[in-house]
């Protein structure tokens, strides 16, 4: 018996982490990612860049129990290096003495989160499902699955975790 049904649109770092937290709180979660599963298809083509995680990111990862494992692979960055036109190098610390932001593989952390999501009983993951429409009255969503195939998904709640150019946000504001 679950507490309610969530659709999470977007399986990036935010969507996959959110799905895990919701699933562990007893909700039924459908996690829908538009792109192919990077764990089976090399969508990064060797170009995945690192992202820098601050305390906010680590606090979230620690909540699902992967903070220390992920930190073991991370590279601390203590300051921004500024190269002056005169050739002088100065350093702008990211925090107090010893504070750092931590560089991690964006693809690596995302795939680790997807593995954890897949292992959760309440979560189903779906790839190559592009959100194309939302009924904001019912939280129902429409996903394009193949070039000419669409499926409708019913849920109690929808989270748009579909990135900076969020389709969910654009639909909410009537922007195509
Ligand atoms: C060059 C660059 C460097 C950055 N460096 C940092 C950094 O160092 N530290 C940092 O914290 N942030 C950094 N950012 C921001 C970073 O991208 C975000 O912090 C992080 O990726 C946010 O994760 P997200 O899951 O919200 O979004 P995203 O990583 O963008 O994931 C959104 C997911 O939703 C999917 N999606 C999109 N539309 C749909 C749709 N219609 N249907 C289904 N799925 C959809 C996408 O395929 C994607 O997988 C950087 C961004 C860029 C561009």
């Amino acid at each position: 018996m679950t507490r309610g049904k969530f659709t999470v649109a977007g399986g990036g770092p935010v969507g996959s982490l959110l799905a895990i937290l919701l699933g562990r709180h007893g909700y039924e979660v459908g996690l829908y990612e538009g792109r192919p599963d990077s764990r089976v298809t090399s969508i990064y083509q060797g170009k995945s860049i690192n992202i820098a995680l601050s305390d906010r990111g680590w606090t979230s990862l620690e909540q699902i129990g992967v903070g220390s494992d992920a930190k073991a692979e991370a590279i601390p960055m203590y300051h921004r290096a500024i190269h002056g036109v005169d050739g002088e190098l100065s350093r702008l610390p990211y925090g107090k003495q010893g504070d750092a932001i931590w560089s991690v593989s964006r693809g690596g952390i995302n795939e680790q989160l997807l593995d954890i999501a897949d292992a959760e009983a309440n979560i189903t993951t779906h790839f190559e499902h592009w959100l194309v429409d939302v009924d904001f009255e019912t939280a129902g969503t429409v996903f394009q699955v193949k070039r000419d195939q669409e499926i409708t998904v019913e849920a109690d709640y929808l989270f748009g975790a579909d990135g900076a150019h969020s389709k969910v946000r654009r639909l909410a504001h009537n922007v195509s």
Side-chain angles (χ1 to χ4, degrees):
M1 190 69 171
T2 57
R3 296 170 65 185
K5 192 173 170 192
F6 276 84
T7 294
V8 177
V14 169
S16 46
L17 178 68
L18 175 65
I20 295 164
L21 291 169
L22 290 170
R24 289 187 180 174
H25 276 86
Y27 295 100
E28 184 185 339
V29 185
L31 177 62
Y32 293 86
E33 165 58 40
R35 294 189 296 175
D37 186 345
S38 66
R39 295 167 298 175
V40 291
T41 313
S42 181
I43 58 170
Y44 297 113
Q45 297 175 324
K47 286 193 283 192
S48 173
I49 54 165
N50 279 19
I51 54 171
L53 292 183
S54 63
D55 276 357
R56 213 166 21 154
W58 291 116
T59 306
S60 314
L61 293 175
E62 275 155 17
Q63 277 190 47
I64 59 160
V66 296
S68 48
D69 280 357
K71 214 167 207 173
E73 303 282 317
I75 301 162
M77 299 187 293
Y78 295 102
H79 53 256
R80 194 185 296 269
I82 299 161
H83 300 262
V85 285
D86 56 1
E88 197 173 318
L89 184 67
S90 51
R91 295 186 165 92
L92 189 63
Y94 282 124
K96 295 184 193 132
Q97 179 87 27
D99 284 350
I101 55 174
W102 296 73
S103 177
V104 297
S105 155
R106 179 199 297 254
I109 204 90
N110 201 167
E111 289 176 0
Q112 190 179 2
L113 292 170
L114 289 170
D115 283 344
I116 296 168
D118 274 336
E120 292 290 325
N122 291 348
I123 304 173
T124 51
T125 55
H126 310 263
F127 295 88
E128 298 180 71
H129 280 62
W130 283 104
L131 180 139
V132 291
D133 206 1
V134 175
D135 181 336
F136 288 99
E137 297 296 321
T138 66
T141 40
V142 179
F143 290 89
Q144 185 171 334
V145 182
K146 300 247 170 3
R147 194 183 293 247
D148 53 1
Q149 189 188 334
E150 290 188 344
I151 61 157
T152 302
V153 175
E154 306 298 341
D156 301 308
Y157 308 95
L158 164 68
F159 266 111
D162 49 346
H165 304 288
S166 168
K167 179 73 175 174
V168 174
R169 191 197 301 127
R170 280 184 282 140
L171 287 167
H173 293 283
N174 255 330
V175 183
S176 60

